[in-house]
Amino acid sequence: MEFLPKKNRDRSRLLYMAIGLFLLLDLAVLATTYWLSYQIAENAITINLAGRQRMLSQRMVKALLNLDRTVDQQHRAEALTELRLTFTLFDSTLHSLHRGGVTVGGDGLPVKIAAIRGGPAQALINEAEQIWNPYRDRVQALLSDPELMAQEKINSAIALANTKNLALLELMNSLTTALEESAITKTSRIRMLQIVTFSLAVFSFIQIILMMQRQLRKTSKHKETLNHVIHQINAGILVYDGDGIVHAANQSAGMLFGYDATDMIGMSESRFLFLQENILYGRRQDGSLFQAESQHRELMLDNVRMHLKTVADVTQQRQLENTLSQLAYHDALTGLPNRLLFDDRLNQNILSARRRDVKLAVLFVDLNKFKQVNDNHGHHIGDQLLREVAVRLRSCLREEDTVSRFGGDEFGILLTSVSGQEDCIVVITHLLETLRKVFITEGVMLFPAASIGVSLYPSDGDDEKILLRRADQAMYAAKRNSTCHFAFYTDAQQDLSRISDI
C-alpha cells in the first residue's frame, strides 16, 4: 500500500471504524430476530396454559357435583379420580404461573414456565392465587381421606365453589387476554428495537459512503478505494449509472445473485432486481427468486452521477414475521383466529353496526362430551376432532363472518348484519346439523354435538365483554335443555351461576 499523509490515514481509520460499527449493528438485527422468536414461543406456552385453567376449573366443579349426586360406588370413584386429576393439574399450573416452575403441558409432557411478572397479568394471577387458596384447602381436605368422605366435606367444597368458581373463570379469561396483549406489546417493542437497530445500521452505512466520497476527492485512487471498501461489507452492493448499467459489484452481491462479482459488471441492474405487486425480488443466475430489501443513494464518481444500492435477502425474515403474526393472532391447533383477534373483530363490527344501525350476533359454541373423547381415545383423536369441527364451522358461515377457537372445546362465532333471531336460527340449525355428521378417524367413529348460546347487538349489550358474557350464559342454558341445543340470552339467565349450569 502506498504511503498516505497522516490526515488520510486518520480518515481511513474512521472509515474502518464505521464499517465495523455497521457489521455490529447488522449482527444486532439478527440477534433481535432470534430473541423475538424465542419470546413468541415462550408466550404461546403461557397463554395456552392460562386458557386451559378455565376448562380445568369447570371440570373440578362438575366432579364435585357428581360426588354429591351419585350414590353408585363406581361412579363416585370415577368422580373422585376426575377431581384429583383436575385439582392437581390446576393447582400445579397456577403455582407455576404465580411463582415459576414445572407443570404438565397440553401434550402430557412436563413443561417449565417462568413466573408472570409485572403489568395487569401479575395482578390477575395474584388475585387468582388468593381466591384459590381457601378453595384448594377445602378440596384437599376432601381428597385427603377418600374412604371417609363425610357429606359435610363435599357440601363445604361445593359451597365454596359456588362463591369462588365464577370469579376464577373470569380471572382466567382476563389473564389469557392480558397475556396475549402483553405478548403483542413485547413483540412490538422488540420489533421497534429491530427498526431502530436497522436504521442505525443504515445511518452508519451512509456515513461510510460519505466518508468514502470525501476520501475519493482527496486521492487519485478513488475507484480502487471504493472496490476495497465495498468488498469488506457483508451486504450485497451494486454501483450503476443512470442507464442502469452496473459498474461495480462486491463479493457479497456475487454470492447473493450466484455470479462472479466481475461478471456482473456491464449487466443491467434490472436483471438482478425487479418489483412485483409492490414487493422487491432478487433474481439469481439460476432463475430462482428471493425477497429482497434495498437501500439506495446517489454519489459522484469522476464527476459522474452514480447510484449505489445495498441489497439483502430477507426471505427468511419475512417468513419469520408471517409465522410470528400467525402465532400471535391464530390458534396453533386449528388455524382459526384466537380470542385476541376475535375480540378485535367484534369491537370493529360493533362500531360499524352502530354507524349503519344494523344488528349482529355473537355465538358461544361448546362441544358436548368432548372430555370423553380424550379419555376414551386419547388427546391426539381429540385434536383431530377439534380440527374437523373448525373446518365444519367455517364451511357454514359467510366470508364476512368470523369463527374463533377460544381454547379447549370452546369456539366463538360472529355473525354480521343479521335481521334478528330468525336469521340466527337458520345459521344455528345448519351448524348443528353439520356438526352431527359422523366423523371417522383412525378407525374411531365419533358423532360430534354442541351447545350454542346467542346474544344480539344491541338488544343484549353494546360492548364486546357484555355480549360474550351473555352468549356464554345462554350457552349454559342450552346445556340444561336436553331437547334444544341452543338458546338466546334472556334477562332470566342474568343471575344464574355457572355452577348450576354445568
Side-chain angles (χ1 to χ4, degrees), residues 189-200:
R189 289 174 179 171
I190 296 176
R191 282 179 176 166
M192 182 59 67
L193 179 60
Q194 284 181 309
I195 293 171
V196 171
T197 307
F198 182 77
S199 299
L200 289 174

Side-chain angles (χ1 to χ4, degrees), residues 420-440:
Q421 291 190 2
E422 296 79 8
D423 279 358
C424 295
I425 291 173
V426 172
V427 176
I428 293 169
T429 302
H430 186 33
L431 286 170
L432 292 173
E433 289 176 352
T434 303
L435 286 176
R436 289 191 191 104
K437 294 178 182 177
V438 64
F439 173 57
I440 301 175

Side-chain angles (χ1 to χ4, degrees), residues 209-264:
I209 300 303
L210 292 175
M211 293 171 68
M212 283 185 350
Q213 287 182 300
R214 286 194 292 267
Q215 278 199 223
L216 292 176
R217 295 191 198 102
K218 300 293 182 179
T219 176
S220 62
K221 296 184 177 181
H222 49 280
K223 289 187 178 180
E224 180 182 342
T225 304
L226 175 62
N227 287 332
H228 178 70
V229 170
I230 67 175
H231 282 300
Q232 303 303 312
I233 297 176
N234 283 339
I237 296 179
L238 298 177
V239 180
Y240 55 94
D241 59 25
D243 295 325
I245 302 302
V246 175
H247 286 249
N250 67 351
Q251 294 171 356
S252 295
M255 289 188 292
L256 186 63
F257 292 102
Y259 290 85
D260 187 290
T262 56
D263 293 339
M264 300 174 69

Side-chain angles (χ1 to χ4, degrees), residues 30 52 76 185 194 200 212 315 431 436 451 468 496:
L30 180 63
R52 187 181 67 180
R76 286 177 67 87
T185 300
Q194 284 181 309
L200 289 174
M212 283 185 350
T315 303
L431 286 170
R436 289 191 191 104
S451 299
L468 279 169
L496 293 178

